[in-house]
Amino acid sequence: MTATADLLAPLDLAFWNIESDRHPMHLGALGVFSAHSPTAGAHAADLLAARAAAVPGLRMRIRDVWQPLAFGGAAREADPDFDPLDHVRLHAPTGDFQAVAGRLMERPLERGRPPWEAHVLPGEDGVSFAVLFKFHHALADGLRALKLAAGVMDPLDLPERSPRPIEAPRPMLALPDVRRMPELVRGALSDVGRALDIGASVALSALGVSSSTALRSEPTGTRSIAGVDLDIDDVHRVRKAVGGTVNDVLIAVVAGALRRWLEERGDSTAGVAPRALIPVSKRRPRSATPQGNRLSGYLIRLPVDNPDPLARLDRVRTAMVRNKDAGPNRGAGAVALLADHVPALGHRLGGPLVGQAARLWFDILVTSVPLPGLGLRLGGHPLTAVYPLAPLAPGQSLAVAVSTYRNQVHYGLVADAAAVPDLDVLARAVTDEVDSLMEVCDHH
């Protein structure tokens, strides 16, 4: 391992090791830009390749580590042979950005070089183009991926910040100071107790919960995506009428959309309450390892079985309040924290089993990815919409990601294309559910 290498945090290592050809562990974002000319897409591809070389995080590859104290681990290090042209691809013009992006999301990232790609999709209409960014989850979580993508966008005119003092990095593989051994032992015992609490919560969460077979599937490796646009003012109207948070409303919309989708399929919704994992970032500002995943999560049951939109929202709100009261370090949704208690070699050997176990403790991922309020541009072309795309866990057929950008809410739906051939129906159901909530609230 080189002197400048950075060991993967436990959760990053877990993401690196649970990947398979049929379940690549990259997240993505499909950004749509308005264009001033038919050549705007080609110009954007040239800019992305030129700017990528100046973003240090985009030069990082992941290499195995077989040294003492990190045996079986992996580390990020700068790729001496980095070539941006290996990562930025210009495609033929298309009239359907989402169909092309879905097929591109199927392909795992090449693991021998920095695990990211940018695919530029010119529009057949000549007045738009799209860029699909793909980042491996071991390289970046949602916040880090956003920072990396922003690094290749047009510079923003922002006021300069005063520099902050830089703390000296700690040695990566230093042995513990013997004077701190009592403190370390207490910390280890506390960690064990927390791990047992989380493990018990996970076991309990798997009991007595009914899901739908539509949310589970044998992996085919195929992918389809769909994007949905909502007006943030409509979401605020619902929130102001019935209380709770914007996030509560957005989660309740997923529950209602799933109910509509299942009913249109002819599937029963009686007793169906799938477990939704709601990731929670535990990233600390100015962390020594800002690129590492620091995630916990909340686990709630989506009230798909309840026919009343307001009752569904109330149940979501109550569940989220209960999760927040307990905090992100406790409960079944905090299972990601268990990765911190597993040695590196355990991640390597147990990765495939952990991936298959995902279906045992949640049925669907519903995640929120924050975006800047300022308008982004690429080559002077404004970003008009951005659809976040989450990885699909083994055995699961659907994942949902949500972002708010410039007064619009964008849902990004990712599905196993074979298991969910009617993803467009679910996308329409999201819009219909918001319309229904507003109508009910107007008479509330």
Side-chain angles (χ1 to χ4, degrees):
M1 188 169 64
T2 65
T4 57
D6 174 34
L7 282 176
L8 294 191
L11 188 55
D12 299 337
L13 188 58
F15 286 135
W16 189 245
N17 285 316
I18 67 176
E19 181 171 64
S20 68
D21 288 342
R22 291 190 172 187
H23 281 281
M25 289 304 298
H26 55 251
L27 46 84
L30 179 65
V32 180
F33 298 79
S34 62
H36 304 323
S37 74
T39 61
H43 178 53
D46 291 340
L47 281 177
L48 289 173
R51 293 172 177 175
V55 181
L58 296 179
R59 305 178 69 94
M60 304 302 285
R61 65 183 178 183
I62 296 176
R63 296 288 300 274
D64 292 337
V65 175
W66 299 104
Q67 294 184 3
L69 301 183
F71 191 78
R76 301 179 191 86
E77 64 179 14
D79 184 355
D81 301 318
F82 174 69
D83 184 349
L85 295 180
D86 290 335
H87 302 265
V88 179
R89 289 93 184 260
L90 177 64
H91 294 258
T94 177
D96 192 339
F97 297 141
Q98 294 177 10
V100 176
R103 292 192 292 271
L104 292 172
M105 284 294 287
E106 296 177 3
R107 305 176 187 174
L109 294 165
E110 188 170 328
R111 292 168 72 95
R113 59 192 183 198
W116 69 274
E117 293 173 353
H119 297 269
V120 182
L121 313 175
E124 287 181 345
D125 55 14
V127 296
S128 65
F129 67 90
V131 179
L132 173 68
F133 287 102
K134 293 168 57 177
F135 296 96
H136 199 286
H137 219 327
L139 178 70
D141 60 9
L143 292 174
R144 176 68 173 171
L146 172 62
K147 183 176 180 180
L148 292 173
V152 292
M153 294 292 181
D154 293 354
L156 295 173
D157 295 326
L158 298 175
E160 292 188 5
R161 291 172 135 186
S162 57
R164 299 182 182 272
I166 300 176
E167 298 179 3
R170 298 178 180 178
M172 291 177 56
L173 299 177
L175 293 174
D177 187 335
V178 293
R179 292 170 297 181
R180 295 185 58 237
M181 287 304 290
E183 175 189 340
L184 292 171
V185 170
R186 286 195 300 271
L189 291 175
S190 176
D191 285 348
V192 170
R194 184 160 57 249
L196 290 174
D197 282 347
I198 296 169
S201 298
V202 172
L204 290 173
S205 73
L207 301 177
V209 182
S210 176
S211 184
S212 169
T213 56
L215 297 178
R216 300 181 176 222
S217 66
E218 291 303 316
T220 67
T222 59
R223 292 292 181 272
S224 61
I225 72 168
V228 184
D229 305 317
L230 304 177
D231 192 321
I232 189 62
D233 290 339
D234 293 340
V235 177
H236 281 301
R237 278 177 57 190
V238 175
R239 178 189 61 80
K240 291 176 181 178
V242 299
T245 68
V246 166
N247 202 41
D248 295 339
V249 177
L250 297 178
I251 295 171
V253 165
V254 174
L258 288 174
R259 179 181 176 85
R260 293 170 180 272
W261 173 60
L262 291 173
E263 288 179 337
E264 185 154 343
R265 278 185 157 206
D267 294 345
S268 173
T269 59
V272 173
R275 293 158 295 181
L277 177 65
I278 315 294
V280 177
S281 176
K282 289 174 59 63
R283 183 188 297 280
R284 290 187 288 184
R286 300 181 297 279
S287 166
T289 55
Q291 69 272 38
N293 279 283
R294 292 299 302 158
L295 294 173
S296 179
Y298 299 141
L299 198 69
I300 72 170
R301 300 184 187 184
L302 296 180
V304 172
D305 55 344
N306 196 309
D308 183 349
L310 292 185
R312 288 196 294 267
L313 177 52
D314 184 65
R315 283 173 58 178
V316 167
R317 182 173 59 233
T318 300
M320 289 299 289
V321 168
R322 186 166 57 248
N323 274 302
K324 291 172 185 175
D325 287 345
N329 293 332
R330 299 181 66 87
V335 71
L337 299 179
L338 290 173
D340 294 336
H341 307 279
V342 178
L345 187 59
H347 281 292
R348 183 174 296 274
L349 298 177
L353 293 177
V354 171
Q356 292 299 324
R359 70 175 75 187
L360 298 179
W361 60 280
F362 73 95
D363 302 299
I364 183 173
L365 178 73
V366 182
T367 186
S368 177
V369 181
L371 292 176
L374 298 172
L376 299 174
R377 293 175 177 267
L378 180 57
H381 305 286
L383 177 67
T384 59
V386 56
Y387 305 99
L389 305 171
L392 202 57
Q396 296 172 350
S397 57
L398 182 67
V400 179
V402 193
S403 283
T404 301
Y405 176 70
R406 307 207 74 184
N407 299 318
Q408 291 287 308
V409 176
H410 301 292
Y411 279 84
L413 311 179
V414 178
D416 184 295
V420 186
D422 53 349
L423 190 61
D424 58 325
V425 176
L426 179 59
R428 287 198 308 271
V430 171
T431 303
D432 292 343
E433 180 64 13
V434 174
D435 291 342
S436 177
L437 276 168
M438 287 195 299
E439 183 179 351
V440 173
C441 288
D442 288 342
H443 297 89
H444 183 58

